[in-house]
Amino acid sequence: MKNILRNFWITLRAQRLSSLLNIVGLAIAFAATYTMFVQINYDFCYNSDIKDADRLFRVEHKLIGYEDWTYILTTPLAKIMVTDNPTVEGYHFGYLHNRDVDHTFEKFPDEPLALVGTELSESSIVALGVELIEGDFEPVLNRTAMAFSRSVAQKYNLAIGDRVCWGKEYKAPNSLTVGAIFEDLPKNSDIAGLEAFYGPYMKTLVNDMKKNDWSDWNDPLYVRLRDKNDVDAFLQHTLAQILLLENVDRFKGIKTLDDLKKVMRLTPFTKTYFTTDMRHFDLKVGNRATTLSMLTIAVVTLLIAFINFFNFFVALIPKRIRSINTQKILGAQGYSLRAGIFFEAVSLLVIALLVSLLLVNLVEKSFFREMLSVSLFAPENMNVALLVVGVGILLAVFTASYPAWYLTSFAPAFVLKGNFGATTKGKALRNALIGMQFVLSFVFIIIAVFVAVQNSFMKNHDMGFDRDCILQYPVYNVYPQGLIDSEQRQTLCNALLTSPYIEAVTFSEREIVGNTKSGWGREWSSGDKNIQFRVLPVEPGFLKTMGIAVTEGIESNGDEGLFVFNAVAKKRYSMEIGDKIKESGQWFDVAGFCNDVNERSMQHAVEPFAFFVHPGVKMSLCYIRVKKGSDLALVQQQIRNITEKLGRNESIEYEPPRLLDEIIEEDFYKKENGQMLIIACVSAISIIISLLGVFGLVFFETEYRQKEIALRRVNGALVGSILWLFNSRFVKVLLVCFVIAVPIATYFVSEWLKEFAYKTPLHLWVYMLAFIIVALFTMLIVVASAWRTVNRNPIEVLNKG
């Protein structure tokens, strides 16, 4: 062992540069791989840690005329699904996302705490797998107590029987007891972060069993089945109840289970994170294709690093083989020499792992952390760390096997001839390995550039309205109720127009961009059935202020309400000016048509959409058109000053006006921006490691071709011609690799682009750019690697040999 350590130290000192580059390549690859594996582990395990998660399902349905599914149900439908259904063990009717609620404990009357809580029913406890630690849920269900998580109880030293009340002020007469303490809910789930449970106060079936309002679609339904295979039985029970309904147009035409499955499904809770055909409102969602891409990239990055690791070992063969065989002549056994090489490989790996730990720490403290769903040092990532280390050790031993055997396989007499580096098989192997690195580098760069191009395409695509000079401003900054009538709107509008930088002000019920707009099914005067469309109630003048072109008809007619539909609705339903839509028992004119508006991201095709222009509808959002070239910070400050003069709502944190363009960027394309950055970084890592491999290969060739280079120099060859000799070989390899990489990259780009309804074309210049980048850096590294050897005094080389 002592000799092995001594030989390792001698090798490390003798090959400082190559060892350093080897360690750097491995460390970067380990850090990148671990970082991606952490996110991959989070995605694939999402919702899986909930008790018996495979029996928990989310009920989803599809509105007629829409491609997307939704999980928003109405109480009567949820009721007929779960009532007396023998397949249902428990259910939760209501949102799993929750709200911060102020609590004040008797122990800390002057320290109100904002805790995340939700309502709880007896069936919810079963459905969500809530585990009781201490106390009883019965008083909680009877609304005489609250339940708190283990973490909250430990942090604030809570015990069963302690008093607590809602609000920022403790009032003993209104207080409840701490009735139960439950186990912390899984962090990696939709129910993560719930710290408190209350009895069924609001939207639960316990309170709404008598409610029969089919127009109120507001809540999701989660069901825990007795057996995960009871999905068809659950739907069969639902079908039987639907067939008993009368005068419910939504289910006309549904006669069989197959009919019902076309508009209703149960999605396992462990798979809801990856459902891509859903209208998600505020749940966490992922993209399976993206996660699988990250998995592929992580594996490939590690593979590239170990190809490079192998190349470095092979590159050192010419310098080390004489030393190895000298040791053999002096009596060293082959197994001990091979053990030394394996020890060297594992030692380099351990050093690289330690360096990668420092790199991971840098990533954790950088802006990259914002793109990850969990901390890189979270305890639940221990299995990921062990996996990466274990795979690294196996790959290191496997990679060192060939050099260990190769270095110890030569007879001393053959070594003296000096041709061990020029074998045909050796060249073929090295070319194949470096070729794999080049292919992967080309693929990564092409994908990264196309992601950036698509991102730019989406950001700059005309969405059908002005977005670069429009501010979005919530009215609850001024009015606590959050919804304001026409008189209040006029007051706010007049105040805002006192700013010389503001050109116009208008209002809408909800955001113009996003998934929160309602989907309406309404009776149409020209058809024999209801039509489905997304709708945004706005005030008169909204379309003009937002720069939305009305191509036919009018936008408003005074105090009368009307509909302005988009071009898609006009074409799909063959609508005409003068048609009527029935809303709340009253017929309103279809008075105009406008250009299509992308009120969602470019991933979604434009659907039938309408602006319901009505001055009587209460609005929650204010849109402010500012003059181009205005100082945005100054305008925002003026708006705040105006808000203060009107009497700002002090109970709610002030939300400054935001540019619509920034909102679209943040809400729509944050994920795409993250993808682009991750792929760009991994592409850069791939190129760096590949170039390190090129360095190793050039180093190898220059070592065993020293005499050839010296003879060429003696016979008059110029430095440039010899350098081109090295470069020309790599240019040929690059061309072959590029031809192989193009169809591979095109396939992955095409699959990724399928996520978008609007996509960039496959530009030829992207492929050419990728080739130029790799070729340029390869030539530079070849020149840098061979320069010293080519410029050595040829006489010294020949005399030495």
Side-chain angles (χ1 to χ4, degrees):
M1 185 65 185
K2 184 178 180 180
N3 289 334
I4 290 176
L5 288 171
R6 185 182 68 250
N7 290 335
F8 171 65
W9 178 247
I10 293 172
T11 302
L12 200 63
R13 291 185 60 188
Q15 308 300 334
R16 288 189 294 270
L17 179 59
S18 60
S19 298
L20 175 63
L21 294 177
N22 209 350
I23 291 170
V24 169
L26 279 177
I28 293 174
F30 276 127
T33 300
Y34 174 75
T35 299
M36 287 186 283
F37 270 15
V38 165
Q39 184 62 48
I40 292 164
N41 182 63
Y42 178 92
D43 290 351
F44 281 130
C45 295
Y46 194 79
N47 279 336
S48 297
D49 293 334
I50 296 173
K51 182 181 179 182
D52 296 326
D54 60 336
R55 294 194 289 118
L56 185 60
F57 295 81
R58 184 173 69 195
V59 180
E60 299 165 359
H61 69 100
K62 181 187 290 186
L63 296 174
I64 299 172
Y66 284 89
E67 293 298 323
D68 291 344
W69 293 74
T70 180
Y71 55 84
I72 303 301
L73 302 180
T74 186
T75 301
L77 179 57
K79 181 170 62 177
I80 66 173
M81 285 181 175
V82 299
T83 302
D84 298 326
N85 192 330
T87 68
V88 176
E89 181 179 334
Y91 62 84
H92 178 78
F93 185 54
Y95 283 98
L96 294 176
H97 77 278
N98 303 287
R99 56 191 180 275
D100 288 333
V101 179
D102 287 322
H103 299 73
T104 307
F105 293 94
E106 185 179 23
K107 289 182 176 180
F108 315 103
D110 300 323
E111 300 178 27
L113 309 172
L115 301 177
V116 180
T118 191
E119 300 166 39
L120 189 70
S121 66
E122 183 175 3
S123 196
S124 298
I125 298 172
V126 177
L128 302 180
V130 181
E131 181 182 348
L132 180 67
I133 295 178
E134 187 179 355
D136 193 343
F137 281 123
E138 191 63 30
V140 180
L141 297 174
N142 292 332
R143 296 184 287 185
T144 60
M146 298 183 191
F148 297 93
S149 69
R150 177 201 292 269
S151 294
V152 171
Q154 290 178 343
K155 184 175 182 179
Y156 299 105
N157 193 28
L158 301 181
I160 301 299
D162 287 350
R163 307 296 297 186
V164 58
C165 67
W166 282 318
K168 295 183 177 181
E169 182 179 353
Y170 182 77
K171 298 179 180 179
N174 299 331
S175 65
L176 304 175
T177 63
V178 175
I181 296 173
F182 60 90
E183 186 60 76
D184 291 343
L185 298 172
K187 295 179 180 179
N188 188 15
S189 70
D190 283 336
I191 58 177
L194 280 172
E195 300 171 295
F197 283 131
Y198 327 119
Y201 284 82
M202 301 285 288
K203 298 290 295 183
T204 63
L205 289 178
V206 174
N207 287 344
D208 288 346
M209 290 297 282
K210 296 182 180 180
K211 189 173 182 179
N212 199 41
D213 183 2
W214 285 88
S215 65
D216 184 18
W217 295 73
N218 284 315
D219 296 281
L221 174 65
Y222 301 88
V223 295
R224 180 179 291 278
L225 302 184
R226 299 186 186 280
D227 189 296
K228 64 180 180 180
N229 299 313
D230 283 344
V231 172
D232 280 359
F234 175 91
L235 293 174
Q236 189 66 56
H237 172 89
T238 302
L239 175 65
Q241 301 303 310
I242 286 175
L243 293 176
L244 298 175
L245 297 174
E246 297 180 359
N247 302 320
V248 180
D249 293 339
R250 186 175 299 274
F251 299 110
K252 284 183 178 179
I254 296 178
K255 303 298 182 183
T256 67
L257 183 61
D258 288 338
D259 294 334
L260 183 62
K261 285 183 176 180
K262 293 177 182 178
V263 296
M264 189 173 293
R265 69 187 185 190
L266 268 63
T267 297
F269 206 52
T270 53
K271 297 182 179 179
T272 57
Y273 185 72
F274 285 127
T275 49
T276 57
D277 56 353
M278 285 286 298
R279 286 187 183 181
H280 295 285
F281 291 87
D282 44 17
L283 294 180
K284 286 186 177 180
V285 292
N287 185 297
R288 182 178 293 275
T290 300
T291 303
L292 289 174
S293 297
M294 288 185 67
L295 177 60
T296 303
I297 290 171
V299 172
V300 169
T301 300
L302 202 57
L303 178 62
I304 289 176
F306 275 95
I307 291 174
N308 184 63
F309 186 72
F310 177 86
N311 281 339
F312 267 113
F313 268 86
V314 173
L316 292 174
I317 287 176
K319 280 196 170 185
R320 298 186 59 185
I321 199 164
R322 292 181 184 273
S323 172
I324 293 289
N325 281 275
T326 299
Q327 294 179 58
K328 289 176 68 176
I329 293 173
L330 293 176
Q333 299 296 317
Y335 70 85
S336 65
L337 295 173
R338 285 189 287 272
I341 295 172
F342 282 120
F343 178 80
E344 180 182 333
V346 174
S347 298
L348 289 174
L349 176 75
V350 171
I351 296 172
L353 284 171
L354 294 175
V355 175
S356 70
L357 182 61
L358 297 177
L359 295 177
V360 169
N361 187 54
L362 292 176
V363 174
E364 176 72 13
K365 296 177 180 179
S366 71
F367 66 93
F368 284 102
R369 173 64 183 86
E370 299 176 4
M371 302 174 201
L372 302 173
S373 303
V374 63
S375 169
L376 292 171
F377 294 102
E380 54 266 33
N381 295 329
M382 180 57 68
N383 60 330
V384 177
L386 292 175
L387 174 64
V388 172
V389 172
V391 170
I393 292 174
L394 288 176
L395 286 175
V397 173
F398 177 77
T399 305
S401 297
Y402 173 76
W405 170 83
Y406 190 73
L407 279 167
T408 59
S409 64
F410 292 103
F414 180 76
V415 173
L416 296 176
K417 297 178 181 179
N419 291 325
F420 42 84
T423 61
T424 302
K425 290 183 179 179
K427 284 184 178 180
L429 176 61
R430 293 189 296 274
N431 285 336
L433 292 174
I434 200 68
M436 288 178 62
Q437 291 180 308
F438 280 141
V439 168
L440 295 171
S441 294
F442 281 130
V443 170
F444 281 153
I445 292 173
I446 292 170
I447 292 175
V449 176
F450 269 119
V451 170
V453 171
Q454 173 65 14
N455 212 15
S456 176
F457 173 81
M458 292 187 298
K459 293 176 184 177
N460 298 314
H461 184 76
D462 182 9
M463 298 183 71
F465 56 88
D466 292 341
R467 45 190 276 196
D468 58 346
C469 56
I470 301 291
L471 292 171
Q472 180 177 294
Y473 186 58
V475 300
Y476 61 67
N477 281 316
V478 182
Y479 300 96
Q481 70 274 20
L483 290 169
I484 58 176
D485 56 29
S486 57
E487 184 177 345
Q488 292 169 318
R489 294 200 300 271
Q490 191 60 52
T491 300
L492 180 56
C493 177
N494 291 339
L496 291 171
L497 287 174
T498 59
S499 169
Y501 300 102
I502 295 176
E503 291 184 340
V505 177
T506 191
F507 297 85
S508 66
E509 184 190 55
R510 298 184 182 184
E511 299 93 340
I512 188 173
V513 289
N515 289 320
T516 60
K517 285 179 284 300
S518 301
W520 282 8
R522 295 294 187 267
E523 190 175 347
W524 176 37
S525 63
S526 298
D528 58 357
K529 62 179 182 179
N530 288 4
I531 61 172
Q532 306 289 332
F533 55 94
R534 289 166 63 82
V535 66
L536 177 64
V538 299
E539 71 167 7
F542 181 87
L543 279 73
K544 181 179 180 181
T545 300
M546 300 299 292
I548 300 171
V550 177
T551 57
E552 185 179 353
I554 59 174
E555 176 186 349
S556 65
N557 56 0
D559 293 335
E560 298 295 325
L562 55 83
F563 284 92
V564 177
F565 278 89
N566 66 353
V568 168
K570 179 182 179 181
K571 181 178 181 180
R572 179 175 297 184
Y573 299 126
S574 300
M575 302 181 78
E576 296 180 356
I577 299 294
D579 288 350
K580 295 182 181 297
I581 302 293
K582 194 172 187 179
E583 160 59 12
S584 300
Q586 182 180 352
W587 289 96
F588 291 91
D589 287 338
V590 177
F593 295 103
C594 65
N595 288 332
D596 287 331
V597 173
N598 285 97
E599 34 89 28
R600 294 190 290 172
S601 73
M602 297 294 108
Q603 291 174 290
H604 302 276
V606 175
E607 295 178 342
F609 178 84
F611 292 101
F612 181 43
V613 186
H614 198 306
V617 176
K618 291 187 176 182
M619 308 294 176
S620 67
L621 283 171
C622 174
Y623 286 97
I624 304 167
R625 174 182 284 277
V626 299
K627 294 180 180 179
K628 290 186 178 180
S630 299
D631 184 333
L632 181 60
L634 179 59
V635 176
Q636 290 176 319
Q637 185 57 51
Q638 285 188 345
I639 293 173
R640 174 149 195 171
N641 293 340
I642 292 170
T643 302
E644 299 289 348
K645 290 179 181 178
L646 288 173
R648 191 175 78 77
N649 176 19
E650 297 291 345
S651 64
I652 298 177
E653 184 178 353
Y654 179 78
E655 182 177 333
R658 298 171 61 199
L659 271 176
L660 193 53
D661 206 30
E662 292 178 355
I663 294 174
I664 294 170
E665 170 80 11
E666 176 69 19
D667 295 349
F668 280 4
Y669 304 122
K670 183 177 182 179
K671 184 177 73 173
E672 281 72 24
N673 289 336
Q675 289 177 356
M676 181 184 69
L677 188 56
I678 289 172
I679 294 176
C681 290
V682 172
S683 298
I685 290 171
S686 168
I687 295 171
I688 291 171
I689 297 175
S690 295
L691 292 178
L692 291 176
V694 173
F695 176 86
L697 191 55
V698 176
F699 181 80
F700 177 90
E701 290 201 4
T702 54
E703 284 298 315
Y704 81 74
R705 295 177 68 179
Q706 289 187 65
K707 287 186 178 181
E708 177 192 341
I709 294 170
L711 288 172
R712 288 178 180 273
R713 290 292 311 279
V714 169
N715 287 299
L718 298 176
V719 172
S721 65
I722 298 176
L723 290 175
W724 172 246
L725 184 66
F726 282 98
N727 270 310
S728 61
R729 176 189 168 186
F730 282 98
V731 169
K732 294 174 185 176
V733 174
L734 283 171
L735 287 171
V736 173
C737 294
F738 182 70
V739 171
I740 296 172
V742 165
I744 297 173
T746 301
Y747 170 77
F748 283 110
V749 170
S750 299
E751 289 297 307
W752 180 71
L753 287 174
K754 286 181 180 179
E755 296 182 19
F756 304 92
Y758 304 91
K759 61 198 71 173
T760 182
L762 298 178
H763 301 288
L764 179 62
W765 66 264
V766 174
Y767 299 96
M768 301 311 299
L769 178 63
F771 182 82
I772 291 171
I773 290 173
V774 177
L776 181 61
F777 279 101
T778 299
M779 290 182 183
L780 289 175
I781 203 71
V782 168
V783 171
S785 302
W787 183 264
R788 180 183 175 187
T789 301
V790 173
N791 281 280
R792 288 180 66 183
N793 188 332
I795 304 301
E796 291 181 5
V797 176
L798 294 173
N799 288 337
K800 183 179 179 181

